């Protein structure tokens, strides 16, 4: 069995993560951090604060620690996907915007 090209694998990972986020948004399991973001008393602001926090951590990690940069970037992407789900913006819409910018 041949391995998918790196670009397809990354798209698959993002699609899988977006699907998990959408499932948590719909099902709202009590023990889910993702679900708690959708039901937080601050609403959307809770996710916006996390994006701000993670953005700062990405900048700080970029200066000193490549491993931390990867981890903090993953946190930032995750929270951005949660925000997009809150706004009913699909990954396909994001991909289309990025393609237009090539």
């Amino acid at each position: 069995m041949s391995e998918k090209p790196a670009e397809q694998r990354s798209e698959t990972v993002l699609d899988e993560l977006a699907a998990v986020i959408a499932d948590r948004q719909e099902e709202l399991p009590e023990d889910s951090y993702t679900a708690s973001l959708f039901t937080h008393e601050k609403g959307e602001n809770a996710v916006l604060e996390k994006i701000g926090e993670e953005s700062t951590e990405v900048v700080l990690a970029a200066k000193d620690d490549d491993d931390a940069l990867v981890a903090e970037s993953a946190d930032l992407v995750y929270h951005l996907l949660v925000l997009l789900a809150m706004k009913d913006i699909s990954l396909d819409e994001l991909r289309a915007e990025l393609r237009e910018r090539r």
Side-chain angles (χ1 to χ4, degrees), residues 20-73:
V20 169
I21 290 168
D23 182 65
R24 299 297 193 274
Q25 183 180 24
E26 184 177 320
E27 299 296 324
L28 298 174
E30 288 184 29
D31 61 344
S32 167
Y33 172 72
T34 302
S36 75
L37 292 172
F38 289 107
T39 60
H40 197 283
E41 64 186 22
K42 290 183 179 180
E44 182 182 289
N45 284 339
V47 176
L48 296 174
E49 288 172 12
K50 287 301 292 182
I51 289 173
E53 174 188 324
E54 298 303 340
S55 296
T56 299
E57 290 175 2
V58 164
V59 170
L60 295 173
K63 296 175 64 79
D64 298 322
D65 185 344
D66 289 349
D67 290 335
L69 175 58
V70 170
E72 296 302 341
S73 295

Side-chain angles (χ1 to χ4, degrees), residues 18 21-22 25-26 34 37-38 42-49 51 78-94:
I21 290 168
Q25 183 180 24
E26 184 177 320
T34 302
L37 292 172
F38 289 107
K42 290 183 179 180
E44 182 182 289
N45 284 339
V47 176
L48 296 174
E49 288 172 12
I51 289 173
Y78 160 78
H79 285 94
L80 179 58
L81 290 176
V82 171
L83 178 63
L84 292 175
M86 285 180 157
K87 298 286 197 177
D88 291 325
I89 298 172
S90 72
L91 265 180
D92 287 338
E93 290 176 83
L94 179 61

